[in-house]
């Protein structure tokens, strides 16, 4: 079971720079996918590959790559970034994290409410583990434009810049 949402996110630990790549306030798209403990390895691998396949519908294969985290946050048992080759080098575009049950157990502890799931298949209660994917919409916008602006030489030798959006994003009945 998964919940996906988009909304404002905020950073307070950075100095604003690098245009829309790194801002204090940005749009974030994320998904929390709830799973049975013990299945996190297979679901993490599934979402890692599914997210990369989605990015490859937008970008050439040589523009995106995985960066597996060597140091993990205390709550994670696996983490990777999908990096995009921006004009200023490979940088994070999306994060995929296997967060175990850290978030829900913390909510249980501080809210005093049980967040357990009864699984009919196993006939047991458990606090679900979470696999999270998170991508910045502003960075996606920048990545799309970084690959979509093309220079085209016309018959008279003049050059123009053309916006050639990936077909999955481009309108079919209109052109700019």
């Amino acid at each position: 079971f998964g919940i996906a949402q988009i909304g404002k996110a905020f950073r307070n630990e950075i100095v604003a720079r690098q245009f829309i790549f790194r801002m204090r306030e940005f749009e974030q798209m994320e998904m929390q996918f709830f799973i049975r403990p013990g299945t996190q390895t297979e679901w993490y691998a599934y979402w890692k590959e599914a997210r990369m396949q989605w990015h490859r519908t937008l970008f050439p294969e040589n523009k995106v790559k995985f960066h597996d985290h060597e140091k993990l946050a205390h709550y994670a048992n696996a983490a990777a970034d999908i990096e995009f080759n921006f004009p200023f080098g490979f940088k994070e575009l999306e994060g995929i994290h296997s967060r175990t049950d850290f978030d829900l157990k913390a909510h249980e502890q501080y809210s005093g409410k049980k967040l357990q799931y009864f699984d009919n298949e196993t006939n047991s209660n458990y606090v679900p583990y979470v696999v999270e994917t998170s991508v910045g919409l502003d960075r996606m916008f920048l990545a799309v434009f970084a690959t979509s602006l093309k220079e085209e030489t016309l018959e008279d030798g003049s050059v123009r810049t053309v916006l050639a959006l990936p077909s999955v994003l481009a309108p079919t009945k209109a052109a700019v």
Side-chain angles (χ1 to χ4, degrees):
F1 169 74
I3 299 173
Q5 63 183 3
I6 183 172
K8 290 279 184 208
F10 303 91
R11 291 187 187 99
N12 63 3
E13 78 280 3
I14 64 146
V15 175
R17 61 183 179 277
Q18 296 181 323
F19 188 47
I20 66 172
F21 182 75
R22 194 137 183 97
M23 299 184 301
R24 288 189 179 110
E25 177 182 327
F26 57 99
E27 292 290 325
Q28 184 173 350
M29 301 180 290
E30 69 175 23
M31 180 197 60
Q32 306 287 314
F33 192 74
F34 303 95
I35 57 175
R36 180 184 301 150
T39 64
Q40 64 271 18
T41 302
E42 67 188 70
W43 280 111
Y44 171 74
Y46 170 84
W47 282 109
K48 191 175 166 184
E49 189 54 38
R51 296 305 301 147
M52 180 59 87
Q53 286 178 10
W54 184 80
H55 286 285
R56 287 186 177 142
T57 66
L58 299 172
F59 309 118
E61 195 165 329
N62 66 340
K63 288 284 194 180
V64 288
K65 68 177 184 176
F66 284 117
H67 171 76
D68 292 313
H69 292 208
E70 291 179 23
K71 286 187 171 185
L72 296 174
H74 66 281
Y75 54 78
N77 61 14
D81 295 331
I82 294 176
E83 293 184 339
F84 176 81
N85 192 8
F86 289 97
F88 43 87
F90 276 99
K91 300 286 183 188
E92 178 186 352
L93 189 58
E94 178 169 357
I96 300 130
H97 302 93
S98 179
R99 299 180 61 91
T100 68
D101 59 0
F102 177 81
D103 299 310
L104 294 177
K105 280 200 172 170
H107 285 301
E108 267 192 340
Q109 178 184 353
Y110 293 108
S111 71
K113 304 284 184 193
K114 282 190 174 184
L115 294 177
Q116 296 182 2
Y117 171 75
F118 179 75
D119 189 333
N120 288 320
E121 289 180 20
T122 63
N123 201 30
S124 63
N125 287 317
Y126 56 80
V127 175
Y129 276 30
V130 175
V131 174
E132 173 190 70
T133 66
S134 179
V135 61
L137 181 58
D138 308 280
R139 287 185 183 185
M140 282 298 301
F141 176 83
L142 184 60
V144 167
F145 268 74
T147 55
S148 296
L149 293 173
K150 314 276 187 210
E151 287 200 345
E152 189 177 86
T153 303
L154 302 176
E155 289 178 11
D156 66 2
S158 63
V159 177
R160 68 179 181 178
T161 302
V162 177
L163 178 64
L165 293 171
S167 60
V168 295
L169 297 178
T172 56
K173 294 184 180 183
V176 178

